[in-house]
Amino acid sequence: MTKIAAEALIEKSLFILALFSCFVILIILCFIFFEGFPAIQEYGFFKFLFGTIWSPNDGQFGVFDMIIGSLYVTFIALIIAIPLSISCATFMAEVASNKVRNFLKPVVQTLSGIPSVVYGFFGLIILVPFVRSQFGGTGFSIFTAAIILSIMILPTIISVSYDSLRSVPQDYKEASLGLGATNWQTIRRVVFPSALPGIITAIILGMSRAVGETLAVIMVVGNVAKMPSSIFSPARTLTSNIALEMSYATGIHYNALFATAVVLFMLIMLLLVVANYVQRKYSIDVGGGTL
């Protein structure tokens, strides 16, 4: 086989694998929409989306409270995780020595490999009693779940932000330093703005993981299907609602859980669309290339 034929075979094989991946995703989406459509059709889409009562025994399937609970948990987790993640990525990429960098990178990667149930047990044993003693209530709350999620999304945001910062051309830094800027001024005014599209993408990816996390959240959020009155109140997220009730759901209740998955999918897709838009909007063209 000639070199050209081998390259053509590899190219076609990769193309087929890409199509197969898209086909699998399409099958999953069709299944979710097919199973959730009866509930949406019978109950009404807007009534399902904006209803505030989830009571399957009474035929009530409103998920608005759970949407708010999911957004609360995700938003607070991002408030905690973003400053820590970007600070750590900046330190690793621009300040730390090679020895320190080579030590920190495996540690960050190890965090991403810890099973979510371990994070859940940590929150259940350590954080729940701490929040209960310091802030009152049962300790099972949005705040507790947000702390756990912030730890879980740290590796994602750090890794992608680090790669974005390291991808900034060295010429940018040398030109800034040559003009008399300090190292910190170069990082703040040259390196960080150039890497901003990748950093924003890292944040969106971390947000997507936070929205979709299930097991760790179930263990610490309280799982109460009502509108939270504060960040120290228990709540229920969309993912935990599906996981908690799918094992015994039947009939329209079963379909309503799939409809919940449809709403979750729409939220995640919205985040991905925002990520792609922001990345295109803030991309910086340099010499015909894009950072």
Side-chain angles (χ1 to χ4, degrees):
M1 182 180 293
T2 64
K3 183 177 180 180
I4 296 178
E7 290 179 352
L9 178 62
I10 293 174
E11 180 181 353
K12 292 184 181 301
S13 299
L14 294 175
F15 178 71
I16 292 173
L17 289 174
L19 286 180
F20 179 74
S21 300
C22 295
F23 177 74
V24 171
I25 294 174
L26 182 62
I27 291 297
I28 294 173
L29 293 182
C30 290
F31 174 74
I32 293 174
F33 277 93
F34 177 79
E35 293 291 342
F37 183 74
I40 295 176
Q41 185 180 35
E42 178 176 332
Y43 197 69
F45 177 75
F46 290 103
K47 187 178 179 181
F48 178 81
L49 189 63
F50 296 107
T52 58
I53 299 176
W54 179 271
S55 180
N57 293 332
D58 299 325
Q60 299 291 324
F61 300 103
V63 297
F64 186 72
D65 291 351
M66 287 175 276
I67 294 175
I68 298 301
S70 298
L71 294 178
Y72 263 140
V73 171
T74 302
F75 182 71
I76 297 171
L78 287 174
I79 291 177
I80 299 172
I82 288 174
L84 296 175
S85 301
I86 295 179
S87 299
C88 181
T90 304
F91 174 76
M92 291 172 56
E94 301 296 331
V95 179
S97 63
N98 289 332
K99 185 176 181 180
V100 174
R101 185 181 299 119
N102 293 334
F103 170 77
L104 288 177
K105 287 181 66 177
V107 173
V108 172
Q109 293 170 355
T110 301
L111 282 175
S112 63
I114 298 176
S116 59
V117 67
V118 176
Y119 286 107
F121 270 117
F122 171 77
L124 187 64
I125 302 302
I126 304 297
L127 291 181
V128 169
F130 174 79
V131 173
R132 183 190 301 129
S133 62
Q134 296 297 319
F135 303 102
T138 62
F140 295 92
S141 65
I142 291 173
F143 181 69
T144 309
I147 294 177
I148 292 297
L149 279 183
S150 67
I151 299 173
M152 296 180 69
I153 65 178
L154 280 175
T156 300
I157 302 179
I158 291 174
S159 298
V160 179
S161 298
Y162 171 81
D163 291 338
S164 299
L165 290 166
R166 294 292 289 180
S167 68
V168 176
Q170 188 67 25
D171 294 345
Y172 286 16
K173 307 173 191 177
E174 293 175 354
S176 177
L177 294 172
L179 291 173
T182 64
N183 187 44
W184 169 243
Q185 289 173 329
T186 300
I187 293 172
R188 184 165 62 92
R189 296 185 178 274
V190 177
V191 176
F192 188 82
S194 300
L196 186 60
I199 293 174
I200 294 175
T201 301
I203 295 171
I204 299 298
L205 291 174
M207 185 188 303
S208 299
R209 182 180 180 186
V211 171
E213 180 54 43
T214 306
L215 185 56
V217 174
I218 286 177
M219 298 175 71
V220 298
V221 78
N223 302 307
V224 177
K226 67 176 183 179
M227 184 68 70
S229 58
S230 71
I231 63 173
F232 301 108
S233 301
R236 179 180 290 192
T237 63
L238 293 169
T239 54
S240 61
N241 186 57
I242 298 170
L244 287 169
E245 300 187 6
M246 183 59 74
S247 60
Y248 62 86
T250 58
I252 191 65
H253 182 196
Y254 175 84
N255 298 124
L257 292 178
F258 273 97
T260 304
V262 171
V263 174
L264 179 63
F265 169 77
M266 292 169 61
L267 282 176
I268 294 176
M269 286 301 299
L270 179 62
L271 294 177
L272 293 178
V273 169
V274 171
N276 291 330
Y277 171 77
V278 170
Q279 190 171 20
R280 288 196 303 267
K281 182 177 178 63
Y282 292 98
S283 293
I284 303 174
D285 295 331
V286 181
T290 300
L291 287 179

